Amino acid sequence: MSYLDTLEQSLYNLITETSTNLPKDVRRAIKKAKQAENAGTRAAMSLDTITNNIVMAEDNVSPICQDTGLPTFKVYTPVGVNQLEIKAAIKKAIVATTADAKLRPNSVDSLTGKNSGDNLGEGLPVIKFEQWENDYITIKLILKGGGCENKNIQYSLPAELEGLGRAGRDLDGIRKCILHSVWQAQGQGCSAGFIGVGIGGDRSSGYDLAKEQLFRSTEDVNENPELAKLEEYIVEKSNTLGVGTMGFGGETTLLGCKIGVMHRIPASFYVSVAYNCWAYRRMAIDINPTTGEITNWHYQDGEKITFKEQDVASQVEETTNEIIKLTAPISEEQIRSLKVGDVVSIDGRMYTGRDAIHHHLMGEDVVAPVDLNGQIIYHCGPVMAKDETGNWVVKAAGPTTSMREEPYQGDIMKRYGIRAVIGKGGMGPKTLKALGEHGGVYLNAIGGAAQYYADCIKSVDGVDLMEFGIPEAMWHLGVEGFTAVVTMDSHGNSLHADVEKSSLDKLALHAERIF
């Protein structure tokens, strides 16, 4: 093959590996979290589902999480290497991996809402070049989904922080900002997560620095002794907050913290935090600039944890004495019998519905494409492909963050008779009130477990509103044994509100100055 053909194949392999196979250091961090949890808890069940999903994604060579994010490449080239050729090869590889369902089509026109279908568009994928004096090319890739991207946060110091008080322009103020960033994410960013922190710069360079930290190994030690101490402190104290995996409570809230620093102007002092979910998909390769071949894969040091020894089904059984079976259409009586903490297993039909669907259904005089009375809506934008007969199949189908639908959800449930909503991260007071008035429940699925849930989907029985694009269409799914936890019920109870309040009380214990 020619240099360009080989380069494109190398990039195809990089994208596929990043999307489907977690790096060794991330696996070891997740194993440590599993060992810290108490057996039989919701957090333990969630971590077992997560690790089962890791196994399935690798075995199936399919996306770990259905949200393959906004592909971001950092490319280091020797002087004289044609960067335009590399950019073109990256775009070709992106199109090819999208067509092969290694990536979900995620590129949406911000003005029209139209999905390009191939992950290309204005400014996409993100490609940043830097020249260096080495004689080889290094290409880094991170796939960071929207759920965790939406929990990024930036602080301008001095600031008043809930639970922690004033954060000043010093190391202790930085400490407070970082702790607050972990708390505010709750379970909406698919905790337990990793954070990259950028101190200084301006608003854009601070975020760039924060994201750059996510390319560091989870096990490295910061060269700056003060920051090394702070990184260790943040992980330790974050894991006392009790947010836990998926926001269910538990022993592990944060899996890693990496901090970078840069100079700033006198008037500005920013602390920028990039939150990454447990499905920490980043990889890097070295490439021969003459042949285009991969000469080295990064993040290969140490033991690879396979997670193949566990039995997820037995963990679900240990978590509760009763798994409640649900089949749509569901009656109001069935719904009102459910309470927070119940584990349900769903058979039969459910319908996907995300941002575009909810916005559409709120329109005046809009009629739903199907009868939703008594039905289940799944906040999910799946990765879909067609088989050899031309029929749609689900390649990845985990939940998306539900809080984005908070302005709509309660009204839509009452208007169309929907009884249950599945998503992740929970919803707010408006939805909770509607669950009580209408008779509905919120079911929390395990964020990022896209292979685990795809395996529960036995048929694709139809699709409506494809004009919104594959992730935003309404897919009619036939499921068996689809397991989720009731975290908001029709009696005014919300596990998410409880965990947020209790973790805020624990956060306040760290308000006193220590640096």
Side-chain angles (χ1 to χ4, degrees), residues 155-197:
Y155 302 89
S156 178
L157 297 181
E160 288 289 331
L161 304 178
E162 188 174 8
L164 293 170
R166 182 175 298 112
R169 290 185 163 193
D170 53 23
L171 191 60
D172 202 69
I174 293 165
R175 171 190 71 87
K176 287 184 176 182
C177 290
I178 302 172
L179 274 180
H180 185 271
S181 77
V182 176
W183 172 79
Q184 62 86 37
Q186 291 291 302
Q188 295 174 30
C190 284
S191 58
F194 302 81
I195 56 172
V197 181

Side-chain angles (χ1 to χ4, degrees), residues 93-160:
I94 285 286
V95 171
T97 46
T98 304
D100 290 345
K102 309 304 181 187
L103 296 177
R104 188 177 71 182
N106 271 355
S107 176
V108 177
D109 187 303
S110 297
L111 300 181
T112 68
K114 182 175 176 56
N115 192 312
S116 71
D118 60 7
N119 273 310
L120 300 184
E122 292 296 327
L124 299 184
V126 175
I127 308 171
K128 298 179 180 181
F129 287 96
E130 188 172 320
Q131 281 191 335
W132 63 1
E133 295 183 357
N134 294 323
D135 62 358
Y136 56 90
I137 300 167
T138 291
I139 301 181
K140 300 178 179 181
L141 169 63
I142 187 166
L143 302 175
K144 190 172 182 294
C148 61
E149 182 70 13
N150 289 343
K151 301 315 294 184
N152 292 356
I153 191 168
Q154 191 172 66
Y155 302 89
S156 178
L157 297 181
E160 288 289 331

Side-chain angles (χ1 to χ4, degrees), residues 391-466:
N391 294 317
W392 286 108
V393 292
V394 179
K395 305 298 288 186
T400 194
T401 307
S402 297
M403 190 59 80
R404 300 195 307 272
E405 317 312 337
E406 175 68 7
Y408 311 109
Q409 195 66 75
D411 294 333
I412 285 175
M413 292 185 79
K414 290 188 283 188
R415 179 170 172 178
Y416 295 99
I418 296 163
R419 289 293 175 197
V421 171
I422 305 172
K424 57 108 170 167
M427 304 194 75
K430 183 179 179 182
T431 299
L432 184 62
K433 181 180 179 184
L435 297 180
E437 293 172 346
H438 167 62
V441 291
Y442 177 83
L443 305 172
N444 206 118
I446 308 305
Q451 293 303 306
Y452 178 81
Y453 289 116
D455 191 55
C456 298
I457 298 169
K458 305 306 180 183
S459 63
V460 179
D461 303 323
V463 60
D464 290 299
L465 302 171
M466 272 290 280

